[in-house]
Amino acid sequence: LIIVDRGSPAFARTIPIGSDDVTRIIARTLEIQVELAEQAKSKFGFDATLGDGVTARLLQDDETIAQLIRGMHHTIAYWQTHGSDNRPLTHAWLTGGGSLIPGLISFITKELHLDVTLGNHCQSIEDHMDPPLPPNFVTAIGLAMRGA
């Protein structure tokens, strides 16, 4: 989780929960193979209107997902009390391959009470990219830009 203040990264915290964890939660809870769980994540995810809402319910009720949300809340609270000059955080971008999980943006918007959107990971280089790179290249893009 990176907090950007006035256009520059101001605070970063690693929350070691990601898209692969979502796949494992689905596989474990539904007692299915990881490959099928990956398909269910990509097709239904957190969207309660898809697939009878089964994956959405099990993910929203899972303790690992609750830990992810708590970690985000703690990071935001820390930033607001120690680094933000009392300015509230109002917006969040999701990036990376996991940001495309159906319903994830809506779920995090509801849980964090923030305006959450899909981040534009190619914003500073998009004029030079045809076609644009998918969100799962965000780390590679960031590392390349830092080295440039």
Side-chain angles (χ1 to χ4, degrees):
L1 178 62
I2 299 173
I3 294 179
V4 177
D5 186 27
R6 299 175 194 147
S8 297
F11 185 76
R13 175 171 179 231
T14 299
I15 302 172
I17 299 167
S19 177
D20 288 342
D21 294 296
V22 173
T23 302
R24 284 191 288 275
I25 292 164
I26 294 169
R28 180 188 71 233
T29 307
L30 296 180
E31 299 178 347
I32 60 175
Q33 294 180 350
V34 172
E35 295 80 15
L36 291 174
E38 181 69 30
Q39 291 174 12
K41 174 186 75 177
S42 298
K43 188 172 182 178
F44 308 120
F46 288 80
D47 192 329
T49 67
L50 301 174
D52 295 329
V54 173
T55 60
R57 282 191 303 278
L58 73 90
L59 290 170
Q60 292 173 16
D61 292 340
D62 187 81
E63 179 56 28
T64 302
I65 302 302
Q67 289 174 9
L68 171 66
I69 298 300
R70 279 194 302 274
M72 291 176 161
H73 275 294
H74 292 321
T75 301
I76 292 167
Y78 180 86
W79 167 251
Q80 289 180 323
T81 58
H82 293 91
S84 70
D85 299 328
N86 293 318
R87 286 176 284 112
L89 191 64
T90 60
H91 187 85
W93 290 341
L94 287 185
T95 62
S99 65
L100 299 177
I101 297 173
L104 181 60
I105 289 175
S106 297
F107 175 69
I108 293 179
T109 294
K110 183 184 84 168
E111 293 295 319
L112 297 183
H113 308 289
L114 289 174
D115 179 24
V116 179
T117 58
L118 185 62
N120 183 353
H121 58 284
C122 292
Q123 183 173 1
S124 63
I125 61 170
E126 67 186 359
D127 292 339
H128 308 288
M129 301 300 299
D130 187 30
L133 293 170
N136 51 331
F137 281 92
V138 71
T139 301
I141 293 168
L143 290 171
M145 290 175 69
R146 183 168 188 219

